[in-house]
mmCIF file of all heavy atoms in Angstrom:
data_model
loop_
_atom_site.group_PDB
_atom_site.id
_atom_site.type_symbol
_atom_site.label_atom_id
_atom_site.label_comp_id
_atom_site.label_asym_id
_atom_site.label_seq_id
_atom_site.Cartn_x
_atom_site.Cartn_y
_atom_site.Cartn_z
ATOM 1 N N PHE B 515 -49.627 8.167 -33.144
ATOM 2 C CA PHE B 515 -48.790 7.774 -32.016
ATOM 3 C C PHE B 515 -48.572 8.959 -31.075
ATOM 4 O O PHE B 515 -48.691 8.828 -29.844
ATOM 5 C CB PHE B 515 -47.457 7.232 -32.553
ATOM 6 C CG PHE B 515 -46.530 6.674 -31.503
ATOM 7 C CD1 PHE B 515 -47.012 6.093 -30.334
ATOM 8 C CD2 PHE B 515 -45.149 6.713 -31.697
ATOM 9 C CE1 PHE B 515 -46.136 5.578 -29.377
ATOM 10 C CE2 PHE B 515 -44.273 6.200 -30.747
ATOM 11 C CZ PHE B 515 -44.765 5.641 -29.582
ATOM 12 N N ARG B 516 -48.307 10.122 -31.647
ATOM 13 C CA ARG B 516 -48.136 11.315 -30.799
ATOM 14 C C ARG B 516 -49.413 11.635 -30.027
ATOM 15 O O ARG B 516 -49.380 11.973 -28.852
ATOM 16 C CB ARG B 516 -47.741 12.532 -31.672
ATOM 17 C CG ARG B 516 -46.271 12.578 -32.038
ATOM 18 C CD ARG B 516 -45.878 13.959 -32.594
ATOM 19 N NE ARG B 516 -46.601 14.290 -33.819
ATOM 20 C CZ ARG B 516 -46.215 13.945 -35.044
ATOM 21 N NH1 ARG B 516 -45.108 13.250 -35.219
ATOM 22 N NH2 ARG B 516 -46.924 14.294 -36.107
ATOM 23 N N LYS B 517 -50.555 11.474 -30.695
ATOM 24 C CA LYS B 517 -51.833 11.764 -30.058
ATOM 25 C C LYS B 517 -52.107 10.746 -28.932
ATOM 26 O O LYS B 517 -52.569 11.115 -27.853
ATOM 27 C CB LYS B 517 -52.939 11.730 -31.119
ATOM 28 C CG LYS B 517 -54.201 12.457 -30.723
ATOM 29 C CD LYS B 517 -55.098 12.709 -31.920
ATOM 30 C CE LYS B 517 -56.459 13.284 -31.479
ATOM 31 N NZ LYS B 517 -56.973 12.844 -30.185
ATOM 32 N N LEU B 518 -51.817 9.489 -29.208
ATOM 33 C CA LEU B 518 -51.967 8.454 -28.181
ATOM 34 C C LEU B 518 -51.128 8.789 -26.945
ATOM 35 O O LEU B 518 -51.608 8.722 -25.804
ATOM 36 C CB LEU B 518 -51.539 7.093 -28.769
ATOM 37 C CG LEU B 518 -51.305 5.948 -27.778
ATOM 38 C CD1 LEU B 518 -52.565 5.610 -26.989
ATOM 39 C CD2 LEU B 518 -50.812 4.694 -28.519
ATOM 40 N N LYS B 519 -49.870 9.188 -27.179
ATOM 41 C CA LYS B 519 -48.999 9.515 -26.039
ATOM 42 C C LYS B 519 -49.515 10.744 -25.289
ATOM 43 O O LYS B 519 -49.460 10.786 -24.050
ATOM 44 C CB LYS B 519 -47.561 9.723 -26.517
ATOM 45 C CG LYS B 519 -46.882 8.416 -26.914
ATOM 46 C CD LYS B 519 -45.403 8.597 -27.206
ATOM 47 C CE LYS B 519 -45.170 9.226 -28.555
ATOM 48 N NZ LYS B 519 -43.723 9.219 -28.931
ATOM 49 N N ALA B 520 -50.025 11.726 -26.027
ATOM 50 C CA ALA B 520 -50.585 12.923 -25.374
ATOM 51 C C ALA B 520 -51.801 12.536 -24.522
ATOM 52 O O ALA B 520 -51.935 12.972 -23.374
ATOM 53 C CB ALA B 520 -50.961 13.956 -26.424
ATOM 54 N N ASP B 521 -52.673 11.696 -25.082
ATOM 55 C CA ASP B 521 -53.862 11.249 -24.331
ATOM 56 C C ASP B 521 -53.454 10.464 -23.080
ATOM 57 O O ASP B 521 -53.999 10.666 -21.996
ATOM 58 C CB ASP B 521 -54.752 10.358 -25.214
ATOM 59 C CG ASP B 521 -55.547 11.162 -26.241
ATOM 60 O OD1 ASP B 521 -55.386 12.396 -26.285
ATOM 61 O OD2 ASP B 521 -56.324 10.546 -26.992
ATOM 62 N N LEU B 522 -52.491 9.559 -23.260
ATOM 63 C CA LEU B 522 -52.060 8.737 -22.114
ATOM 64 C C LEU B 522 -51.418 9.593 -21.031
ATOM 65 O O LEU B 522 -51.603 9.321 -19.836
ATOM 66 C CB LEU B 522 -51.061 7.665 -22.570
ATOM 67 C CG LEU B 522 -51.651 6.449 -23.281
ATOM 68 C CD1 LEU B 522 -50.521 5.557 -23.815
ATOM 69 C CD2 LEU B 522 -52.555 5.632 -22.354
ATOM 70 N N SER B 523 -50.696 10.619 -21.436
ATOM 71 C CA SER B 523 -50.014 11.452 -20.437
ATOM 72 C C SER B 523 -51.009 12.174 -19.538
ATOM 73 O O SER B 523 -50.671 12.579 -18.430
ATOM 74 C CB SER B 523 -49.075 12.447 -21.122
ATOM 75 O OG SER B 523 -49.842 13.441 -21.788
ATOM 76 N N ARG B 524 -52.243 12.319 -20.022
ATOM 77 C CA ARG B 524 -53.276 12.944 -19.181
ATOM 78 C C ARG B 524 -53.956 11.930 -18.258
ATOM 79 O O ARG B 524 -54.689 12.298 -17.354
ATOM 80 C CB ARG B 524 -54.331 13.615 -20.072
ATOM 81 C CG ARG B 524 -53.855 14.944 -20.669
ATOM 82 C CD ARG B 524 -54.973 15.670 -21.390
ATOM 83 N NE ARG B 524 -55.241 15.079 -22.698
ATOM 84 C CZ ARG B 524 -54.643 15.454 -23.830
ATOM 85 N NH1 ARG B 524 -53.755 16.426 -23.814
ATOM 86 N NH2 ARG B 524 -54.926 14.874 -24.976
ATOM 87 N N VAL B 525 -53.699 10.652 -18.496
ATOM 88 C CA VAL B 525 -54.386 9.601 -17.744
ATOM 89 C C VAL B 525 -53.468 8.931 -16.718
ATOM 90 O O VAL B 525 -53.881 8.601 -15.616
ATOM 91 C CB VAL B 525 -54.951 8.542 -18.728
ATOM 92 C CG1 VAL B 525 -55.479 7.334 -17.985
ATOM 93 C CG2 VAL B 525 -56.031 9.154 -19.611
ATOM 94 N N ILE B 526 -52.209 8.724 -17.100
ATOM 95 C CA ILE B 526 -51.308 8.012 -16.192
ATOM 96 C C ILE B 526 -50.618 8.981 -15.237
ATOM 97 O O ILE B 526 -50.595 10.193 -15.464
ATOM 98 C CB ILE B 526 -50.249 7.175 -16.948
ATOM 99 C CG1 ILE B 526 -49.228 8.056 -17.689
ATOM 100 C CG2 ILE B 526 -50.912 6.203 -17.909
ATOM 101 C CD1 ILE B 526 -48.057 7.247 -18.278
ATOM 102 N N ASP B 527 -50.072 8.416 -14.192
ATOM 103 C CA ASP B 527 -49.233 9.175 -13.260
ATOM 104 C C ASP B 527 -47.786 8.852 -13.630
ATOM 105 O O ASP B 527 -47.317 7.733 -13.397
ATOM 106 C CB ASP B 527 -49.552 8.745 -11.819
ATOM 107 C CG ASP B 527 -48.730 9.531 -10.801
ATOM 108 O OD1 ASP B 527 -47.640 10.045 -11.164
ATOM 109 O OD2 ASP B 527 -49.160 9.628 -9.646
ATOM 110 N N LEU B 528 -47.090 9.830 -14.192
ATOM 111 C CA LEU B 528 -45.744 9.583 -14.720
ATOM 112 C C LEU B 528 -44.738 9.206 -13.634
ATOM 113 O O LEU B 528 -43.676 8.668 -13.931
ATOM 114 C CB LEU B 528 -45.232 10.811 -15.491
ATOM 115 C CG LEU B 528 -45.936 11.090 -16.832
ATOM 116 C CD1 LEU B 528 -45.588 12.481 -17.339
ATOM 117 C CD2 LEU B 528 -45.560 10.042 -17.882
ATOM 118 N N ARG B 529 -45.083 9.488 -12.375
ATOM 119 C CA ARG B 529 -44.157 9.152 -11.287
ATOM 120 C C ARG B 529 -44.359 7.726 -10.807
ATOM 121 O O ARG B 529 -43.581 7.188 -10.037
ATOM 122 C CB ARG B 529 -44.352 10.101 -10.104
ATOM 123 C CG ARG B 529 -44.032 11.561 -10.424
ATOM 124 C CD ARG B 529 -44.750 12.462 -9.465
ATOM 125 N NE ARG B 529 -46.185 12.150 -9.456
ATOM 126 C CZ ARG B 529 -47.084 12.745 -8.675
ATOM 127 N NH1 ARG B 529 -46.709 13.665 -7.829
ATOM 128 N NH2 ARG B 529 -48.357 12.407 -8.748
ATOM 129 N N GLU B 530 -45.468 7.116 -11.226
ATOM 130 C CA GLU B 530 -45.807 5.801 -10.674
ATOM 131 C C GLU B 530 -46.062 4.747 -11.751
ATOM 132 O O GLU B 530 -45.791 3.562 -11.549
ATOM 133 C CB GLU B 530 -47.063 5.956 -9.799
ATOM 134 C CG GLU B 530 -47.343 4.778 -8.920
ATOM 135 C CD GLU B 530 -48.651 4.904 -8.136
ATOM 136 O OE1 GLU B 530 -49.222 6.036 -8.095
ATOM 137 O OE2 GLU B 530 -49.104 3.904 -7.588
ATOM 138 N N ASP B 531 -46.621 5.168 -12.869
ATOM 139 C CA ASP B 531 -47.022 4.220 -13.912
ATOM 140 C C ASP B 531 -45.953 4.107 -14.991
ATOM 141 O O ASP B 531 -45.053 4.939 -15.088
ATOM 142 C CB ASP B 531 -48.331 4.678 -14.559
ATOM 143 C CG ASP B 531 -49.459 4.786 -13.555
ATOM 144 O OD1 ASP B 531 -49.442 4.029 -12.571
ATOM 145 O OD2 ASP B 531 -50.352 5.632 -13.756
ATOM 146 N N SER B 532 -46.122 3.097 -15.810
ATOM 147 C CA SER B 532 -45.153 2.828 -16.859
ATOM 148 C C SER B 532 -45.876 2.305 -18.094
ATOM 149 O O SER B 532 -46.702 1.406 -18.010
ATOM 150 C CB SER B 532 -44.180 1.773 -16.320
ATOM 151 O OG SER B 532 -43.186 1.487 -17.243
ATOM 152 N N VAL B 533 -45.570 2.895 -19.229
ATOM 153 C CA VAL B 533 -46.111 2.402 -20.499
ATOM 154 C C VAL B 533 -44.938 2.238 -21.460
ATOM 155 O O VAL B 533 -44.183 3.181 -21.699
ATOM 156 C CB VAL B 533 -47.148 3.374 -21.108
ATOM 157 C CG1 VAL B 533 -47.666 2.814 -22.435
ATOM 158 C CG2 VAL B 533 -48.308 3.607 -20.148
ATOM 159 N N LEU B 534 -44.801 1.026 -21.959
ATOM 160 C CA LEU B 534 -43.676 0.699 -22.833
ATOM 161 C C LEU B 534 -44.215 0.497 -24.248
ATOM 162 O O LEU B 534 -45.204 -0.211 -24.443
ATOM 163 C CB LEU B 534 -43.033 -0.582 -22.289
ATOM 164 C CG LEU B 534 -41.762 -1.128 -22.916
ATOM 165 C CD1 LEU B 534 -40.630 -0.109 -22.864
ATOM 166 C CD2 LEU B 534 -41.351 -2.417 -22.187
ATOM 167 N N PHE B 535 -43.569 1.146 -25.220
ATOM 168 C CA PHE B 535 -43.967 1.002 -26.624
ATOM 169 C C PHE B 535 -42.859 0.329 -27.414
ATOM 170 O O PHE B 535 -41.688 0.685 -27.259
ATOM 171 C CB PHE B 535 -44.173 2.380 -27.274
ATOM 172 C CG PHE B 535 -45.182 3.255 -26.620
ATOM 173 C CD1 PHE B 535 -44.799 4.236 -25.722
ATOM 174 C CD2 PHE B 535 -46.534 3.110 -26.904
ATOM 175 C CE1 PHE B 535 -45.735 5.066 -25.112
ATOM 176 C CE2 PHE B 535 -47.471 3.935 -26.307
ATOM 177 C CZ PHE B 535 -47.067 4.909 -25.408
ATOM 178 N N TYR B 536 -43.238 -0.614 -28.253
ATOM 179 C CA TYR B 536 -42.316 -1.112 -29.274
ATOM 180 C C TYR B 536 -42.848 -0.644 -30.612
ATOM 181 O O TYR B 536 -43.991 -0.938 -30.965
ATOM 182 C CB TYR B 536 -42.253 -2.640 -29.257
ATOM 183 C CG TYR B 536 -41.606 -3.184 -28.015
ATOM 184 C CD1 TYR B 536 -42.373 -3.619 -26.949
ATOM 185 C CD2 TYR B 536 -40.224 -3.247 -27.912
ATOM 186 C CE1 TYR B 536 -41.780 -4.107 -25.803
ATOM 187 C CE2 TYR B 536 -39.623 -3.734 -26.764
ATOM 188 C CZ TYR B 536 -40.409 -4.164 -25.717
ATOM 189 O OH TYR B 536 -39.832 -4.639 -24.577
ATOM 190 N N VAL B 537 -42.027 0.081 -31.309
ATOM 191 C CA VAL B 537 -42.427 0.624 -32.597
ATOM 192 C C VAL B 537 -41.745 -0.202 -33.682
ATOM 193 O O VAL B 537 -40.521 -0.163 -33.830
ATOM 194 C CB VAL B 537 -42.004 2.101 -32.723
ATOM 195 C CG1 VAL B 537 -42.527 2.684 -34.024
ATOM 196 C CG2 VAL B 537 -42.481 2.904 -31.526
ATOM 197 N N LEU B 538 -42.545 -0.974 -34.410
ATOM 198 C CA LEU B 538 -42.007 -1.819 -35.469
ATOM 199 C C LEU B 538 -42.148 -1.083 -36.792
ATOM 200 O O LEU B 538 -43.217 -0.555 -37.110
ATOM 201 C CB LEU B 538 -42.793 -3.130 -35.571
ATOM 202 C CG LEU B 538 -43.108 -3.880 -34.272
ATOM 203 C CD1 LEU B 538 -43.795 -5.202 -34.588
ATOM 204 C CD2 LEU B 538 -41.849 -4.141 -33.473
#
Side-chain angles (χ1 to χ4, degrees):
Chain B
F515 185 30
R516 279 194 298 273
K517 200 165 173 328
L518 166 61
K519 287 188 283 188
D521 284 2
L522 283 173
S523 71
R524 284 188 283 270
V525 171
I526 69 172
D527 181 336
L528 290 167
R529 297 157 307 178
E530 194 184 347
D531 301 330
S532 182
V533 179
L534 185 58
F535 302 97
Y536 292 97
V537 185
L538 314 184

